[in-house]
Amino acid sequence: MKHTYHIHGMTCNGCRIHVEKTLNAVDGVTSATVDLEKKEAIIEMEHHIEVNSFQQALEKEGGNYTIHLLGEHHHPKKMDKMEPKGKGTGTFYCPMHCEGEKTYDKPGDCPVCGMDLVEEQSLNVGAANGQWTCLMHPEVVKDEPGSCPICGMDLVPMEPDLSAEEKTYRKLLKKFWVAVAFTLPIFLIAMSEMIPNNPLYTVLEQKHWNWMQFALSIPVVFYATWMFFERAYRSIKTWNLNMFTLIGIGAGVAWIFSMVGMFLPDVFPAQFKTEHGTVHVYFEAATVILTLVLLGQVLEARAHSKTNSAVKELLKLAPNTAVKVVDGEEFEVSIDAIEIGDILKVKPGDKIPVDGSITEGYGVLDESMITGEPIPVNKAQGDKVSSGTINGNQSFLMKAEKVGSDTLLSQIITMVNDASRSRAPIQKLADTVSAYFVPIVVLIAVMTFAVWAVWGPEPAYVYALVNAIAVLIIACPCALGLATPMSVMVGVGKGAQNGVLIKNAEALEKMNKVDTLIVDKTGTITEGRPTVEKIGSFNKHFSESDILEMIVALNSNSEHPLAEATVIFGKEKGVKAQKADKFKAVIGKGVEGIVDGKQLALGNPEMMEQVNATISDTMKAEAKIVQQQGKTVSFLAVDEKVAGYVVIGDRIKKTSAEAIKKLQAKGVTVVMLTGDNRDTAKAVADELSLTDFKASMLPEDKLKEVEQLQSEGKVVAVAGDGINDAPALARSDVGIAMGTGTDVAIESAVITLVKGDLHGIVKARNLSDAVMKNIKQNLFFALIYNTLGVPIAAGVLYPVFGILLSPMIAALAMSFSSVSVIANALRLKNVKI
């Protein structure tokens, strides 16, 4: 029998191999092949096997995979997530992204590379589980702030438990000191053999000192570093060979060889024995290797906590409490208790608790932690404010509009967490090398032993064993695996601190290669907050006020920036919006609807043509004069006759000209595509010295332009902020959404600029350049380290220079190779973008 199944949950080649092996191991299966791209498995079986049997096998072997027959409805498996008890989310991932973006619901080590899983940072920025306690009376625990019922002191937020990564670090540190305590005496005993007339032998015979080394090594092997052997065993069992495979084999061979030499010395030839008749033991080599590897793990755990420091800094921005105003009275409430519509008071120096708008008063806000811009911003009534920004020296009232995970700060943290787990295409190089790395190193170790045993100096077998162990220990696939994800994690965090939000690592890599940037005009090059400059009437039956009323009625249903400008203008003039029936937005042309029984249409000449309303030559001439000044004219048709118009101006952002020059200096061709007419577009292009621009572009036209440029071999980025930009954003190599735009545009993009100006694109390009340079440095170092380290450990320098590498030195080099890669990635924190 032969069936095709759909597999859900695979993200990388490691997943494919794991699933394929698991399915082939099911009783009755003769052959199973898995296709990662199609997410399908073709299974041949001797007799029919229920799909539940395959599902159980996948669950037993670990991983969040589900299987079902093609065509059947898929119900994704719901994982029982741990309730986060500390500062994390209870979601863990591999720092090397061995299985792509796969996450785990409990701590442990990666089933592929064996490294400790890292916990995502929590989005819960309030107190631990929203609870407060008294410093004087810790037994008092309340669900909301207030005063202690015993002493009257203000309650303070309960500190959350240690994060998972901090717990891992402390556990490893404790084991490291245990390992040092037992390894140091072993090392001293072994090294004493280099002293002439060893004084230790006057106290005890050598064989007794060997037994002492054996006894001291037991806590090191079976307690402090036993996890390395567990990971090595699991890697061999699943054939996901990794760094711990090499460590387990290398240190394990040294320790087992020594132990057998203690108990059964007569099985070894004379070459392996000392002048005292005892077998050479390598307890010091095994324990020092394991202790140094453990030191590397401790340093990595500490360094890992620094790579996502950007998220931690963002988490500190939101306060634990806020001041809620109800009927004129002020109450201190938990940030988790704030609901949409609540009125909050923000005092001088306070952090804004949630997203909202000012309802009374004004303030000067420091938004540098969100936008990366150091200059404080004036905020008045009606202006939007974001969670985590800091108020100046004025109090104001604000209305909560977005709370919890909907705030800008929480969304930034979510994007940073997601992007940090994503894989950059350049990582495929490291994945390809890693797939063959461990088997090749083991083969080189075997060849090293054979060559030294046959052609090495006496005692040849001793040289052969020591050098083979050195080869196994010095090789470090982890340095290769960490090269890309560490740089991505630090780079994504750096971007978030500067108002550049990266959705995935691929975007970060592609941004480095972009040679053509397409920008929209409204909201991207210009302020995006256009203002109404004139209302005009072509019909004596309608006054300018009548025209404005009809325009406001239609545009009240639209989210386009130009529509918003007319609605704001109408409110300033005291116009009340009437209800518009059968409202319809015609993308790239305008809007239409029925108001007070009249069939209305508002938009460009194409919109007038669509509703059969003729624009006279006089109207065209009047509009052309305005358009040549870079302003937009929208015509209003009433019952298929052009009755009036509105003139809207949109100022060019101060940063646009400078940003375009910087991008052009980097070799990026900037093209402006706008739905506006040619005269308006030309006025803006002339002011910015842009030679490449196209006007009257509908969404499909912008999409075709992107496809045309890509067919010419260009790497195209598109920056936009509206629904009409979404198709081009999605089709481009790199879609950049201006943070001031619509949710649709932001969803279609892979880079979002919080502040929403072109200077952010310069930042994104500089960040991409810096991250890619850092990744290439890491990959170069990791490849060179292994390329040189393995042959030196094998003894290629011995015939000429007489140099051999001790396995202990090899362990030290291996441990610090991974740490050095992380340290290099951390340099990105200081890069100026």
Side-chain angles (χ1 to χ4, degrees):
M1 300 186 70
K2 188 175 182 180
H3 293 302
T4 303
Y5 298 85
H6 179 80
I7 307 289
H8 181 79
M10 295 190 301
T11 56
C12 67
N13 196 48
C15 298
R16 185 196 66 77
I17 293 170
H18 181 67
V19 170
E20 193 168 272
K21 285 181 180 176
T22 303
L23 295 176
N24 273 304
V26 174
D27 287 339
V29 172
T30 55
S31 169
T33 54
V34 177
D35 188 312
L36 178 62
E37 294 298 321
K38 295 180 179 179
K39 311 289 186 190
E40 291 179 0
I42 299 173
I43 304 177
E44 294 184 26
M45 54 196 91
E46 297 168 355
H47 52 81
H48 180 68
I49 300 173
E50 292 290 335
V51 71
N52 286 340
S53 300
F54 296 126
Q55 184 62 57
Q56 288 169 8
L58 290 171
E59 290 176 6
K60 184 179 177 183
E61 289 299 318
N64 304 336
Y65 307 110
T66 54
I67 182 171
H68 62 94
L69 282 167
L70 286 181
E72 289 185 1
H73 185 65
H74 166 57
H75 299 282
K77 180 186 170 187
K78 291 186 178 179
M79 300 300 297
D80 295 328
K81 279 189 96 172
M82 289 175 58
E83 281 296 317
K85 297 178 181 177
K87 297 178 181 176
T89 59
T91 298
F92 299 80
Y93 64 94
C94 171
M96 285 173 56
H97 310 322
C98 296
E99 296 184 277
E101 297 180 32
K102 180 183 288 187
T103 57
Y104 306 84
D105 58 351
K106 58 185 178 181
D109 48 73
C110 172
V112 178
C113 72
M115 292 190 71
D116 285 314
L117 298 176
V118 178
E119 188 177 23
E120 255 187 10
Q121 288 302 296
S122 174
L123 304 184
N124 179 9
V125 289
N129 301 321
Q131 294 184 322
W132 275 254
T133 187
C134 175
L135 292 174
M136 299 286 291
H137 303 91
E139 68 274 13
V140 175
V141 178
K142 298 277 188 180
D143 291 331
E144 57 186 8
S147 58
C148 174
I150 301 174
C151 66
M153 286 183 65
D154 283 333
L155 299 180
V156 297
M158 285 182 70
E159 281 297 315
D161 294 339
L162 295 172
S163 64
E165 64 185 17
E166 184 64 25
K167 288 178 182 176
T168 299
Y169 169 72
R170 293 192 179 189
K171 182 177 73 173
L172 289 172
L173 190 62
K174 177 186 173 184
K175 289 188 172 185
F176 171 71
W177 289 120
V178 169
V180 168
F182 286 96
T183 298
L184 195 57
I186 296 173
F187 182 74
L188 293 174
I189 292 169
M191 291 301 102
S192 69
E193 293 181 13
M194 302 176 68
I195 303 172
N197 301 317
N198 190 342
L200 292 183
Y201 293 163
T202 62
V203 181
L204 291 172
E205 292 181 22
Q206 185 181 19
K207 67 178 180 179
H208 296 304
W209 285 114
N210 288 351
W211 280 105
M212 192 170 290
Q213 289 184 58
F214 170 66
L216 288 168
S217 72
I218 289 173
V220 179
V221 173
F222 291 97
Y223 169 68
T225 62
W226 182 243
M227 57 187 173
F228 296 157
F229 295 101
E230 288 180 325
R231 294 174 185 181
Y233 170 73
R234 190 159 52 245
S235 72
I236 294 170
K237 181 184 174 185
T238 60
W239 208 243
N240 290 315
L241 305 180
N242 53 49
M243 176 181 81
F244 297 102
T245 315
L246 301 175
I247 294 167
I249 295 173
V253 165
W255 192 85
I256 292 170
F257 172 88
S258 304
M259 184 190 69
V260 173
M262 297 287 297
F263 288 95
L264 302 169
D266 295 336
V267 303
F268 292 94
Q271 275 193 343
F272 284 104
K273 295 184 179 179
T274 66
E275 58 187 16
H276 300 286
T278 59
V279 175
H280 282 288
V281 292
Y282 299 97
F283 291 118
E284 91 287 352
T287 53
V288 169
I289 286 168
L290 292 169
T291 302
L292 288 173
V293 172
L294 186 55
L295 172 63
Q297 294 288 293
V298 170
L299 294 175
E300 276 186 41
R302 177 47 76 217
H304 273 309
S305 68
K306 293 181 180 178
T307 57
N308 59 4
S309 61
V311 176
K312 294 175 184 175
E313 291 302 315
L314 289 169
L315 288 169
K316 293 177 185 176
L317 295 178
N320 293 320
T321 61
V323 177
K324 182 176 176 180
V325 180
V326 181
D327 297 329
E329 289 191 52
E330 297 178 7
F331 302 91
E332 188 177 22
V333 297
S334 161
I335 193 171
D336 299 321
I338 298 172
E339 296 180 356
I340 294 173
D342 285 351
I343 301 298
L344 308 172
K345 184 173 184 178
V346 182
K347 298 176 182 178
D350 281 358
K351 294 175 180 175
I352 310 301
V354 294
D355 292 0
S357 55
I358 296 177
T359 57
E360 185 180 318
Y362 66 94
V364 179
L365 269 59
D366 177 5
E367 298 184 331
S368 59
M369 64 293 297
I370 299 290
T371 64
E373 299 297 327
I375 301 171
V377 181
N378 292 315
K379 297 285 185 178
Q381 188 172 335
D383 287 344
K384 301 288 185 183
V385 292
S386 297
S387 170
T389 54
I390 301 171
N391 185 24
N393 54 11
Q394 297 287 335
S395 293
F396 60 81
L397 297 181
M398 63 169 286
K399 182 179 180 181
E401 295 174 349
K402 290 184 179 180
V403 300
S405 60
D406 291 332
T407 65
L408 174 63
L409 181 60
S410 290
Q411 289 174 4
I412 289 173
I413 293 166
T414 300
M415 285 187 76
V416 172
N417 273 331
D418 291 345
S420 296
R421 288 204 313 270
S422 62
R423 293 162 68 87
I426 197 172
Q427 196 170 342
K428 290 177 182 176
L429 169 64
D431 291 345
T432 303
V433 174
S434 297
Y436 302 99
F437 187 89
V438 175
I440 289 172
V441 169
V442 173
L443 182 62
I444 291 172
V446 172
M447 291 168 61
T448 300
F449 184 90
V451 170
W452 278 92
V454 175
W455 289 290
E458 294 298 330
Y461 285 109
V462 174
Y463 276 111
L465 180 65
V466 171
N467 290 330
I469 291 172
V471 168
L472 291 169
I473 298 301
I474 199 168
C476 187
C478 272
L480 204 57
L482 288 170
T484 301
M486 288 300 102
S487 298
V488 167
M489 184 179 287
V490 180
V492 165
K494 178 74 175 179
Q497 290 176 320
N498 285 272
V500 179
L501 307 182
I502 311 294
K503 188 175 282 188
N504 56 52
E506 185 176 358
L508 203 55
E509 180 175 336
K510 282 187 175 179
M511 190 65 196
N512 173 251
K513 302 172 184 175
V514 166
D515 53 26
T516 305
L517 171 67
I518 292 176
V519 291
D520 182 36
K521 180 180 74 70
T522 306
T524 304
I525 289 177
T526 61
E527 290 284 357
R529 294 184 209 165
T531 54
V532 175
E533 296 188 5
K534 185 181 179 183
I535 297 290
S537 174
F538 292 128
N539 190 317
K540 62 182 180 180
H541 298 296
F542 298 116
S543 66
E544 290 180 3
S545 297
D546 296 332
I547 297 294
L548 178 59
E549 282 183 14
M550 288 185 279
I551 289 173
V552 170
L554 269 182
N555 278 341
S556 294
N557 298 282
S558 175
E559 63 176 21
H560 195 282
L562 298 182
E564 188 180 351
T566 61
V567 173
I568 292 171
F569 183 76
K571 285 180 181 177
E572 290 172 355
K573 295 294 184 181
V575 173
K576 290 186 178 180
Q578 298 180 57
K579 183 183 177 184
D581 296 318
K582 296 184 179 180
F583 174 83
K584 180 183 177 185
V586 183
I587 295 176
K589 295 180 181 179
V591 293
E592 61 180 334
I594 298 174
V595 177
D596 196 22
K598 302 182 186 74
Q599 181 69 47
L600 305 183
L602 178 69
N604 56 23
E606 286 79 6
M607 187 70 199
M608 296 300 100
E609 186 178 335
Q610 182 169 315
V611 297
N612 300 318
T614 304
I615 304 174
S616 68
D617 292 339
T618 306
M619 296 175 188
K620 288 178 182 177
E622 193 171 333
K624 191 170 184 66
I625 294 170
V626 176
Q627 289 168 344
Q628 285 173 341
Q629 299 169 9
K631 297 169 185 176
T632 300
V633 177
S634 289
F635 296 98
L636 174 71
V638 180
D639 295 329
E640 299 184 0
K641 292 181 180 179
V642 179
Y645 65 95
V646 56
V647 177
I648 299 173
D650 189 8
R651 286 178 300 180
I652 295 173
K653 293 176 183 176
K654 294 177 182 178
T655 56
S656 293
E658 183 187 357
I660 287 171
K661 284 180 183 177
K662 287 182 178 179
L663 290 167
Q664 289 171 335
K666 287 180 173 289
V668 178
T669 301
V670 181
V671 181
M672 183 180 75
L673 302 183
T674 177
D676 254 334
N677 62 80
R678 179 172 175 79
D679 292 326
T680 303
K682 188 175 187 307
V684 173
D686 288 345
E687 189 170 340
L688 295 173
S689 302
L690 276 178
T691 54
D692 296 310
F693 72 91
K694 289 188 178 181
S696 303
M697 299 288 283
L698 295 173
E700 54 265 34
D701 297 325
K702 292 183 180 182
L703 179 61
K704 288 174 184 175
E705 188 69 20
V706 172
E707 291 172 341
Q708 175 62 33
L709 288 166
Q710 287 174 329
S711 68
E712 295 171 7
K714 305 286 187 184
V715 181
V716 182
V718 173
D721 71 333
I723 291 175
N724 61 330
D725 298 316
L729 284 168
R731 182 67 181 86
S732 66
D733 296 290
V734 179
I736 304 170
M738 316 309 274
T740 51
T742 62
D743 291 340
V744 177
I746 292 171
E747 188 63 32
S748 301
V750 290
I751 295 178
T752 300
L753 307 178
V754 173
K755 194 156 186 274
D757 65 33
L758 291 180
H759 186 59
I761 300 178
V762 178
K763 288 183 181 179
R765 177 57 180 247
N766 290 340
L767 177 67
S768 176
D769 291 347
V771 170
M772 292 312 299
K773 182 180 178 181
N774 193 270
I775 288 173
K776 288 170 183 174
Q777 289 170 349
N778 283 345
L779 287 172
F780 176 79
F781 170 78
L783 288 167
I784 288 296
Y785 164 81
N786 284 295
T787 303
L788 297 179
V790 171
I792 291 171
V796 294
L797 299 180
Y798 183 79
V800 180
F801 300 102
I803 296 174
L804 284 176
L805 198 65
S806 162
M808 290 181 282
I809 300 299
L812 187 65
M814 187 275 293
S815 294
F816 279 94
S817 64
S818 293
V819 176
S820 61
V821 164
I822 298 175
N824 187 52
L826 287 172
R827 291 193 310 113
L828 286 169
K829 292 171 71 174
N830 301 318
V831 169
K832 291 183 179 180
I833 63 170

